[in-house]
Amino acid sequence: MIKKFIDKLLGKTAGGAQGKSRFGKRQEVPAEVHKIDPALVDERAKNVVTTLQQAGYEAYVVGGAVRDLLLGLRPKDFDVATNATPEQVKSLFRRAFIIGRRFRIVHVVYGRGREHEVIEVSTFRAYMDNAAAEQVSGNERTSKGELASMKHAVDASGRVLRDNVWGPQEEDAARRDFTVNAMYYDPANQVVVDYHNGIKDAQKLTLRMIGDPATRYREDPVRIIRAIRFSAKLAALGFKMEAKTAAPLVESSKLLADVPQSRLFDEMLKLLQTGHAIATVEQLKKLGLARGIYPLLDVVVERADQPFVKAALQDTDRRVGEGKPVAPSFLLACVLWADVRDGWAQRQEGQRGQRPQAPFPALQDAIDDVFNARIGDVSGRGKLAADMREIWMMQPRFDKRTGSTPYSLVEQARFRAAFDFMRLRADVGEVSEAIAEWWQEFSIADDVRRQDLLEQVREEQKVRQRVRVRDTAAPAKLRNEPAPRQNPAQNQSRGQDAEPDDEVEVEAGAVPPDGEAAAPRKRRRRRKPRPAGGGEGGGSAAAE
């Protein structure tokens, strides 16, 4: 133990080699070589770096943002690394918040509401030997009390539970995951600092793990998911994962069983919402990880080729590519819709020995079953579940386009998400295209046009109802048989004063949802009173 400590102080490895073999050799690459366009750097990230540097600290843009800048892409997110501690960073910014336990970082917030931007600031971390770290027998939850006072701790498998020991930049670079994510860019002098040949790997389009991949996956099994995410994101640019980096993935995936479910759920959402969902599914299959990472992700991969789910994944990728917001509730509602739809139908039909239920209670119970079976307690009882439930519960309401229903529906907070969901259903033939187009026009129309659209629906329904009545009477006419006489009970059902040949009309308020058959509601007509002698003809009106 003492020898290891002395070797660390002298910058030596166990074999006597100089520390540069472990921490890499610092290379400062000038602008004329790396050719990063300064205009692609976010002004808020520049402001964070400048503020820290003016306060006397080192500060750089770091990670995937530098990789994207080298590739000529405009990064969506910017992270900053510095030798200032989280407390020192927080003191320099008006809106800054320290978050995290495992890795303590600072979020510097610019703007408010949906337009706000977060610059994530991390402190350079020391490269620690896990053999010398404090050990706990449990996990984050069961050992929470012990971990509170620890800065560097691992569990029995070697997974890092705490890593908050600060160190120099070269050690911080060594503890990052991939070489192309371990570069530092100073926007002031436009120099890239590279310790592990990240620039060369970026030029060779290679995704390579720093250090021994199996060891790095054991330290943090979530790196397995990160490897999939980056390989999917960079595949479109021609990147390929190094063979040594890919080799331990399947065997190491067993370690994910020890990762908290909430963290896996969040990582799954990152896989599906970074604009490369389709490519991610392909990478999971290609790397032999189509099953076993997370149960809900298994469902996504299994259903990715189904038209409705595939359309949802493609739509999510498109929105991210266009810079539009995406919500996990929408995508997961699409993935699990088949379960909800089938359970809903079974409950209405009274299958599996159950009594038939009315449509809305049946839908509510089907949704509860899906939450219990597929999502559990991770995020299924929070806002995400509430949004998913609202999207699903609105679907039957799109069938009714009369009265005040359309007006109340378009005022719902989740109307747009529910409509987009119904629009996808129409795209795959599950809903009438005409209904989707009607709602699209109604949602953006003025009051006059909305009245026209409602009147159009009423007229269509009247025509359909008359066709049904005519079709019902057609067989008797084709046989040249007189229409059957109405018995008193039938006359009473039509109204006491109705004549057999009265025209049937449908009142607007009594029309069922589109596509449903229902008995028409009749309008009563007053008969002319007959003469006292029983003959027909024009007599005086009798008093009622």
Side-chain angles (χ1 to χ4, degrees), residues 169-461:
Q169 185 185 44
E170 60 266 24
E171 295 189 21
D172 183 75
R175 56 161 296 282
R176 293 182 178 271
D177 43 21
F178 302 100
T179 60
V180 293
N181 291 342
M183 295 176 283
Y184 304 78
Y185 175 65
D186 184 349
N189 59 27
Q190 298 184 35
V191 167
V192 171
V193 179
D194 184 8
Y195 289 91
H196 300 281
N197 295 317
I199 289 181
K200 289 183 179 179
D201 283 344
Q203 292 171 341
K204 293 188 296 182
L205 305 179
T206 299
L207 188 64
R208 178 169 62 88
M209 180 71 73
I210 297 171
D212 176 57
T215 301
R216 304 306 303 280
Y217 294 142
R218 187 165 56 252
E219 291 172 351
D220 183 6
V222 170
R223 286 189 177 124
I224 297 167
I225 303 177
R226 286 170 60 83
I228 296 165
R229 176 152 55 91
F230 289 130
S231 63
K233 177 179 180 178
L234 300 174
L237 299 174
F239 273 74
K240 293 185 178 180
M241 192 181 299
E242 180 201 37
K244 291 181 180 178
T245 299
L249 282 173
V250 174
E251 181 64 26
S252 300
S253 65
K254 300 174 184 176
L255 300 170
L256 289 168
D258 296 325
V259 177
Q261 292 291 292
S262 58
R263 191 177 177 207
L264 288 178
F265 186 85
D266 291 341
E267 291 295 331
M268 177 198 70
L269 295 183
K270 290 179 184 178
L271 282 177
L272 301 176
Q273 293 192 121
T274 52
H276 310 280
I278 296 292
T280 293
V281 171
E282 293 175 357
Q283 284 295 316
L284 286 166
K285 293 177 179 178
K286 179 180 177 181
L287 296 169
L289 295 168
R291 299 192 64 83
I293 290 182
Y294 187 69
L296 193 51
L297 183 61
D298 293 348
V299 178
V300 175
V301 177
E302 178 185 328
R303 299 179 179 178
D305 291 330
Q306 295 178 3
F308 185 61
V309 176
K310 187 174 183 178
L313 293 172
Q314 291 172 334
D315 186 65
T316 299
D317 287 349
R318 176 187 61 79
R319 291 183 64 86
V320 173
E322 294 174 355
K324 296 179 180 179
V326 293
S329 56
F330 180 86
L331 181 57
L332 294 182
C334 292
V335 171
L336 298 178
W337 172 241
D339 294 341
V340 173
R341 183 191 60 211
D342 294 347
W344 184 24
Q346 289 169 3
R347 286 179 175 277
Q348 290 182 89
E349 295 169 4
Q351 296 181 7
R352 300 178 181 176
Q354 298 176 338
R355 295 181 61 183
Q357 291 181 266
F360 276 90
L363 180 55
Q364 290 174 327
D365 289 346
I367 291 171
D368 288 339
D369 289 346
V370 170
F371 280 146
N372 293 332
R374 297 296 194 185
I375 297 181
D377 295 327
V378 178
S379 293
R381 296 296 181 266
K383 184 178 184 304
L384 179 139
D387 290 347
M388 292 172 66
R389 181 183 294 274
E390 218 170 336
I391 289 170
W392 287 329
M393 291 300 295
M394 281 190 195
Q395 297 310 302
R397 298 182 65 187
F398 285 111
D399 290 334
K400 185 170 183 181
R401 298 178 290 158
T402 57
S404 61
T405 297
Y407 290 97
S408 62
L409 193 57
V410 296
E411 295 300 322
Q412 297 292 322
R414 299 296 299 166
F415 169 77
R416 180 48 56 179
F419 170 77
D420 289 343
F421 187 93
M422 188 265 289
R423 173 81 260 183
L424 284 180
R425 293 174 63 205
D427 289 344
V428 298
E430 190 176 313
V431 175
S432 166
E433 185 73 23
I435 291 180
E437 291 176 357
W438 187 93
W439 278 102
Q440 171 65 32
E441 187 171 0
F442 187 88
S443 66
I444 61 176
D446 58 23
D447 288 341
V448 174
R449 178 57 183 154
R450 286 181 174 183
Q451 285 295 328
D452 291 342
L453 289 167
L454 291 173
E455 182 60 31
Q456 171 190 323
V457 172
R458 283 193 288 268
E459 290 301 321
E460 290 174 356
Q461 290 174 337

Side-chain angles (χ1 to χ4, degrees), residues 529-531 533-539:
R530 297 182 178 181
E536 298 181 6

Side-chain angles (χ1 to χ4, degrees), residues 41-52 60-61 77-80 110 117 119 187:
V41 182
D42 188 276
E43 288 298 325
R44 290 159 290 198
K46 288 182 182 178
N47 179 263
V48 171
V49 171
T50 301
T51 301
L52 287 164
Y60 302 84
V61 173
D77 300 301
F78 282 84
D79 297 337
V80 171
Y110 290 86
E117 179 73 21
I119 305 298

